[in-house]
Amino acid sequence: MFVKSGKCALLILVHLYISVSANPIDGLRILGIFPQTFRSHFTMNERLMRGLAARGHRVDVYSHYPLKEPMENYTDHSIRTPNITTYLNNLHYERLLKWLGIVDMSLLLHRYAFQSFGLAQLQNFPNFNIFQPYTASCYLAFGRRLNIPLVTVETLSSTDWTYASMGNPRNLANVPSVYGGQASPMTFVERLKNFFMTYYVEYGYYYFVRDQNALVKKYFGEDYPPVSELIKDVDLMLINYNHMLNGIKPLTPAVVPVGGLHIAETNNKLSERTQKFLDGSENGFVYFSFGSMVRIETFPKPMLEMFYNAFRKIAPTRVLWKIVKPEELPTGLPDNVLTESWLPQMEVLKHKNIRAFITHGGLMGTMEAIYNAVPMIGFPLFSDQYMNVDLYKKKGVAIKLEWPNITRESFEFALFEVLNNPLYKKEAKKLSLSFRDVPMSPMDTAAYWIEFIARNGKRSLRSPLVDMPWWQASLLDVYAAFLVVTIVALYTIKIIVWLLIILMTKVKSYFNKTKRD
């Protein structure tokens, strides 16, 4: 695991109380609400809630994905309804072409989430925390109603709107937009694009979720502010970020990186067929997966046949391919390819014979690849995946392919390059060591800072910038003062010079007149 020494955000509404009882379940009582419908994102939150429960905190978790096996101190509550689509192995190619990400998710959540949870019941829940998706900012109103600390958890490296809301000093020359498609360091063109994209995403988000303002007013009162103001109530933000992996950017103490929190040693085992296939890969194998949402078998037949041809050419190197419904693939699957509808990804990535990972660039899966020092070929499809793959490309651990403009030549080149150029594996090993080199594990870090808020209360880490008007935070009043002083000084100098000129003219005229007389 991570060395102990030398990833739209989820909200925790926290009412933390300290009990004098020695019972290990006393301390924090936590209610987790996760309307987030993406299974991969919930993985990080499940890991956090399980970790808190293991530390003796009582957690009640409302989500679409209950635990398969019960756990002490952890109580599941299902919030599945027919009105909300959960994204697990059901994102088809046609749907992918129209994917709107944040917009889709926000529209679903704000319509049905409050009704699904039972608002009155939640308001009366004693001593609780709430985890809430970053696209459903309406849940921030619970914190203001109950006057309790707020802790957000972001499964992305951090979104543009939440990064700004925490009072982080933002330098757009170095801090890329999560949705801009490029990572730092950036060229001039990339910085120009980043400037416009950052503000477009930040203010565009509040436009897309503007109907949540009406939802807040309906359930909490007409005097409640819009979500763009409620988001400033957050007291602690845990982000899926690692400085050695994602780069250096300024963060206030209230923003705590816990990159890799979802990574844990598990007891999951590969199927007997898969284990035998990988163990027998004398020339290594390539793992191909587009995550827990996308169904690759629904992609156009020419693209799938392009994959087939490339896989035949790398034989005897084998390919393990995650395909939900293999029967929907075109005929002619190469002999060196094995398909599985589900795979324990960490078990695959840490296998001794793995040589490369073909991925869509999701943050969770690529962090697991970096953790296990596996080079990558990236096909970013949507959201932050473009930035993630660009980051790994600049780190020298991946090759980036532009979907859907991929060609047979570009894919085959990428495959042969990653498999045969030892520099990719060398850089992956180096980056893996840096990624693991943290003073505390991400779980211990998250637990410490949540308990810190319990001990020290609301606003204990709050940046003064959060409460400043934008023009003060940007020093526009100071610049204006300098401008006024400069203008007054220049005008004063102008008057003095004008008076001196008049005086000198009169003196000269006087002496000239005296001389004539």
Side-chain angles (χ1 to χ4, degrees):
M1 291 304 292
F2 289 87
V3 177
K4 289 188 179 181
S5 71
K7 321 221 0 309
C8 140
L10 300 176
L11 167 72
I12 301 177
L13 284 164
V14 190
H15 185 187
L16 308 169
Y17 68 94
I18 308 245
S19 173
V20 295
S21 171
N23 191 318
I25 67 170
D26 290 333
L28 311 184
R29 187 176 181 185
I30 303 172
L31 172 63
I33 298 181
F34 302 95
Q36 176 67 272
T37 59
F38 301 154
R39 182 62 181 90
S40 58
H41 287 245
F42 182 70
T43 299
M44 177 176 173
N45 301 293
E46 178 185 313
R47 166 71 173 146
L48 176 61
M49 299 301 281
R50 289 174 65 98
L52 293 172
R55 284 163 170 76
H57 305 306
R58 297 171 59 186
V59 301
D60 284 79
V61 180
Y62 285 72
S63 76
H64 301 278
Y65 305 102
L67 296 180
K68 294 181 179 179
E69 297 181 1
M71 177 182 180
E72 185 179 3
N73 297 333
Y74 189 115
T75 304
D76 270 311
H77 305 270
S78 177
I79 59 172
R80 289 193 178 186
T81 71
N83 298 318
I84 300 179
T85 301
T86 55
Y87 288 97
L88 179 62
N89 295 325
N90 57 356
L91 186 55
H92 293 240
Y93 180 80
E94 293 77 11
R95 175 72 172 123
L96 184 62
L97 294 177
K98 302 175 183 178
W99 183 248
L100 296 177
I102 292 174
V103 182
D104 287 356
M105 192 161 34
S106 172
L107 291 175
L108 287 170
L109 293 176
H110 93 274
R111 286 176 183 170
Y112 304 114
F114 274 10
Q115 295 90 329
S116 300
F117 300 135
L119 183 64
Q121 179 183 355
L122 295 186
Q123 290 186 93
N124 295 324
F125 197 96
N127 305 328
F128 65 89
N129 305 348
I130 296 181
F131 293 76
Q132 181 239 323
Y134 72 111
T135 54
S137 300
C138 50
Y139 282 89
L140 291 160
F142 277 103
R144 182 163 293 204
R145 168 65 65 85
L146 299 168
N147 192 29
I148 56 179
L150 298 171
V151 182
T152 60
V153 182
E154 291 209 5
T155 55
L156 303 183
S157 58
S158 74
T159 57
D160 301 349
W161 57 92
T162 53
Y163 182 82
S165 70
M166 295 298 290
N168 293 297
R170 181 164 59 189
N171 188 327
L172 297 182
N174 179 63
V175 179
S177 167
V178 173
Y179 301 99
Q182 64 276 322
S184 188
M186 295 177 281
T187 64
F188 169 76
V189 174
E190 289 175 332
R191 284 184 284 116
L192 184 64
K193 177 183 176 182
N194 186 56
F195 176 84
F196 290 106
M197 181 59 70
T198 297
Y199 288 108
Y200 170 76
V201 170
E202 180 179 341
Y203 295 105
Y205 168 78
Y206 293 117
Y207 173 79
F208 287 130
V209 300
R210 64 193 183 281
D211 43 7
Q212 293 186 22
N213 296 329
L215 192 65
V216 170
K217 293 182 181 298
K218 176 180 178 181
Y219 285 99
F220 292 93
E222 290 294 328
D223 58 333
Y224 270 69
V227 295
S228 58
E229 288 299 316
L230 288 174
I231 202 169
K232 296 179 181 179
D233 290 348
V234 174
D235 298 294
L236 177 68
M237 180 187 294
L238 305 175
I239 61 174
N240 198 12
Y241 194 91
N242 178 287
H243 287 299
M244 295 306 297
L245 174 62
N246 302 99
I248 306 300
K249 68 178 181 181
L251 300 172
T252 69
V255 180
V256 179
V258 289
L261 174 62
H262 67 290
I263 299 176
E265 296 297 335
T266 64
N267 296 322
N268 294 326
K269 293 184 179 180
L270 297 167
S271 68
E272 183 178 348
R273 182 178 73 151
T274 303
Q275 189 71 55
K276 182 179 179 180
F277 181 80
L278 300 186
D279 291 344
S281 302
E282 297 180 358
N283 290 83
F285 71 91
V286 175
Y287 175 47
F288 188 176
S289 173
F290 279 174
S292 62
M293 293 169 52
V294 178
R295 290 186 53 198
I296 305 177
E297 62 270 26
T298 65
F299 279 43
K301 184 177 179 180
M303 183 175 290
L304 295 173
E305 291 179 340
M306 176 191 68
F307 294 148
Y308 283 13
N309 292 331
F311 295 155
R312 288 191 187 95
K313 291 184 178 181
I314 64 171
T317 299
R318 295 179 175 181
V319 178
L320 178 61
W321 199 357
K322 190 240 176 188
I323 298 292
V324 179
K325 294 184 178 181
E327 64 273 14
E328 295 185 9
L329 285 173
T331 58
L333 187 70
D335 294 335
N336 62 326
V337 178
L338 176 67
T339 63
E340 290 284 6
S341 59
W342 178 86
L343 288 161
Q345 186 158 276
M346 274 294 289
E347 305 305 317
V348 175
L349 290 171
K350 69 182 182 182
H351 194 282
K352 60 184 178 65
N353 290 337
I354 191 167
R355 295 179 62 188
F357 177 27
I358 303 176
T359 173
H360 64 316
L363 188 57
M364 302 292 186
T366 54
M367 277 188 168
E368 292 170 358
I370 295 300
Y371 184 86
N372 291 288
V374 180
M376 293 173 280
I377 298 173
F379 287 77
L381 303 177
F382 53 82
S383 190
D384 64 321
Q385 296 164 9
Y386 294 92
M387 183 192 72
N388 296 338
V389 175
D390 189 64
L391 170 66
Y392 303 136
K393 174 186 174 183
K394 290 177 178 177
K395 293 283 186 181
V397 299
I399 291 179
K400 180 180 180 181
L401 295 175
E402 297 293 341
W403 176 87
N405 299 320
I406 181 176
T407 64
R408 178 179 61 82
E409 292 77 11
S410 62
F411 180 64
E412 290 179 2
F413 170 80
L415 201 53
F416 280 91
E417 178 71 6
V418 169
L419 289 175
N420 298 305
N421 189 336
L423 290 178
Y424 290 96
K425 183 64 175 180
K426 178 181 178 181
E427 291 301 317
K429 288 181 177 179
K430 181 180 176 182
L431 188 57
S432 177
L433 291 175
S434 298
F435 179 56
R436 294 174 178 233
D437 192 1
V438 292
M440 291 193 298
S441 73
M443 184 63 240
D444 288 340
T445 301
Y448 171 82
W449 286 106
I450 289 174
E451 292 164 359
F452 178 94
I453 294 296
R455 295 189 298 270
N456 295 277
K458 289 178 64 65
R459 297 176 175 260
S460 52
L461 296 176
R462 188 179 183 86
S463 168
L465 289 175
V466 175
D467 301 308
M468 287 185 181
W470 66 270
W471 48 272
Q472 286 187 9
S474 302
L475 288 179
L476 291 185
D477 54 341
V478 175
Y479 298 144
F482 274 113
L483 181 61
V484 170
V485 170
T486 301
I487 292 174
V488 170
L490 291 175
Y491 185 76
T492 302
I493 292 173
K494 177 182 177 181
I495 295 298
I496 293 174
V497 170
W498 180 70
L499 291 175
L500 287 174
I501 291 174
I502 293 177
L503 179 61
M504 293 298 294
T505 302
K506 289 183 177 181
V507 170
K508 183 178 180 181
S509 175
Y510 172 78
F511 280 109
N512 289 338
K513 181 179 180 182
T514 304
K515 186 175 181 181
R516 286 196 303 269
D517 292 342

